[in-house]
Every structure is written in structure tokens, then in C-alpha cells.
């Protein structure tokens, strides 16, 4: 029969960034927690999952559609910052200086089977809304660079300004990694492509 503790360890171990040792430590921590706190944790996970959807405009994960950013009258709707992942939106929002809207691709477009579909949706949105600038904020990587080239080539004929953020940081790093000031400077010093 399955061992419940081993099951818990295995499930935790499948989460990103949780190695064997951490999974084991968390599993025993959870087992020793007060039952009410365990219920609170289970409910929080379950509620977050069932109340999350994708914004029909920007594809960000949200509990309301359109999301808070797309519905805000205070945001500059003619500037779109394109990111690979919802957590990148969080990083840029936390940094606090960007006031445009976003478009979330949900992963790499170059190596993804539905990459073309994602790009089509982005291009349609750029065409339908009155966009003056598209900022490509991909993590510095080979596929990120390839995505920048690909999208900027597609948008060139439209005459819309396309820029990429200026990281000056090594390839393979992740936006999570940067402090708020670095992100703000990267956006401020963006270069046209
Ligand atoms: Zn949205």
C-alpha cells in the first residue's frame, strides 16, 4: 500500500525548486502542523486554483476578467510589455515604475508547439488596439533573443515601435533574480530593435 508520507514527499518534490531534502523537510513540517493550519493551507491552494483564470485580454493569471491591470483607467493602454511568464508581470509590478499593460505568452514561443498561435494572438491584439510601443521583456537566453528577433521582424512592417529591455546581465538568468531597481532601469533604458 502507498505510504501517505512518501506520497506527500513525492508530490512536494514535483514542485519547481523543491529538491528531495526540502520535500522531506516540508512533509514532516506539515505533518507536525496544527490540523487547522493544514486545512487552511489545503483550502488556500484549492481556492487559488479554482478562482484563477486567464485574462482574456493579456493572458495573465487573474481572479477577475479582464484583470485588474487591463481594467485600470490609470494604465497607459498603448504600451504593451510582452513577457514569457505571469511571474514576470509580478516582478515588473513589484519594481513599480512601469505603467503600461502586459501580454503574457506563457512560456517560450520558439520551442513551444503552440508558439505560432500565441504570436498570432499577440499580433492581432497589437493590430486591434491602438498600440504605440511593444516592449519585449524576455529573460536573457538564446530562445529569448530568438523570440525578440522573430517578433520584431513580424512587427516591423506595421511601423510600431518595438523595444527590448536592457538587462546587461548574463545569459540564462531569470527576472526573479533581479532587484526592483535593476528591473526599473532595464525598462527605462530599453533599446529599439
Ligand atoms: Zn489583463
Amino acid at each position: 500500500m502507498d505510504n501517505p508520507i512518501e506520497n506527500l514527499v513525492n508530490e512536494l518534490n514535483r514542485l519547481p525548486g523543491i529538491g528531495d531534502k526540502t520535500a522531506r523537510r516540508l512533509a514532516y513540517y506539515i505533518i507536525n502542523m496544527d490540523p487547522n493550519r493544514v486545512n487552511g493551507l489545503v483550502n488556500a491552494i484549492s481556492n487559488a486554483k479554482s478562482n484563477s483564470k486567464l485574462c482574456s485580454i493579456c493572458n495573465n493569471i487573474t481572479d477577475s476578467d479582464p484583470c485588474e491591470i487591463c481594467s485600470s483607467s490609470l494604465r497607459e493602454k498603448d504600451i504593451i510589455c510582452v513577457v514569457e511568464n505571469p511571474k514576470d508581470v509580478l516582478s515588473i509590478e513589484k519594481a513599480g515604475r512601469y505603467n503600461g499593460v502586459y501580454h503574457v505568452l506563457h512560456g517560450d514561443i520558439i520551442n513551444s508547439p503552440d508558439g505560432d498561435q500565441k504570436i498570432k494572438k499577440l499580433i492581432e491584439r497589437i493590430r486591434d488596439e491602438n498600440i504605440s510601443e511593444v516592449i519585449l521583456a524576455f529573460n536573457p537566453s538564446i530562445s529569448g533573443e530568438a523570440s525578440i528577433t522573430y517578433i520584431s521582424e513580424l512587427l516591423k512592417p506595421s511601423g510600431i515601435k518595438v523595444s527590448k529591455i536592457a538587462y546587461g546581465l548574463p545569459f540564462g538568468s531569470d527576472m526573479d533574480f533581479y532587484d526592483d531597481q535593476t528591473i526599473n532601469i532595464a525598462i527605462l533604458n530599453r533599446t529599439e530593435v
Side-chain angles (χ1 to χ4, degrees):
M1 215 171 88
D2 283 352
N3 177 327
I5 299 178
E6 279 306 311
N7 278 346
L8 178 58
V9 171
N10 289 337
E11 286 302 325
L12 292 167
N13 196 202
R14 290 170 66 186
L15 299 172
I18 308 277
D20 245 357
K21 254 190 188 163
T22 309
R24 219 157 273 285
R25 195 162 52 84
L26 286 174
Y28 282 100
Y29 181 82
I30 291 168
I31 289 160
N32 285 318
M33 269 163 68
D34 181 88
N36 286 330
R37 277 191 61 206
V38 176
N39 284 336
L41 175 63
V42 170
N43 288 336
I45 293 172
S46 170
N47 281 338
K49 178 67 189 166
S50 56
N51 290 315
S52 298
K53 47 192 151 206
L54 295 185
C55 171
S56 54
I57 299 173
C58 72
N59 285 336
N60 195 14
I61 295 174
T62 174
D63 58 354
S64 60
D65 183 21
C67 73
E68 225 172 282
I69 296 171
C70 289
S71 350
S72 166
S73 58
L74 302 171
R75 308 291 297 219
E76 297 167 56
K77 299 281 167 56
D78 60 331
I79 304 178
I80 293 187
C81 179
V82 183
V83 295
E84 283 178 333
N85 297 301
K87 65 183 170 62
D88 301 331
V89 174
L90 273 185
S91 299
I92 297 172
E93 283 300 289
K94 199 177 135 280
R97 288 292 293 278
Y98 176 69
N99 195 40
V101 291
Y102 295 92
H103 193 90
V104 184
L105 293 171
H106 293 275
D108 170 14
I109 50 153
I110 299 295
N111 299 308
S112 131
D114 54 351
D116 281 345
Q117 201 50 40
K118 291 175 178 175
I119 290 300
K120 196 170 160 242
K121 201 177 162 191
L122 170 65
I123 302 289
E124 276 170 9
R125 178 177 175 201
I126 292 168
R127 196 192 52 206
D128 294 347
E129 295 175 26
N130 231 338
I131 303 302
S132 64
E133 182 179 0
V134 176
I135 302 171
L136 303 172
F138 299 132
N139 292 313
S141 67
I142 307 230
S143 68
E145 284 298 320
S147 304
I148 289 170
T149 308
Y150 185 56
I151 296 175
S152 61
E153 286 298 321
L154 282 173
L155 289 176
K156 231 171 230 168
S158 66
I160 293 167
K161 183 177 173 191
V162 182
S163 52
K164 64 174 183 175
I165 56 172
Y167 275 133
L169 280 166
F171 255 44
S173 52
D174 194 279
M175 214 182 291
D176 283 6
F177 193 73
Y178 310 136
D179 59 45
D180 294 351
Q181 204 193 353
T182 306
I183 292 178
N184 287 331
I185 290 173
I187 296 177
L188 196 72
N189 291 343
R190 62 189 183 266
T191 51
E192 207 163 331
V193 288

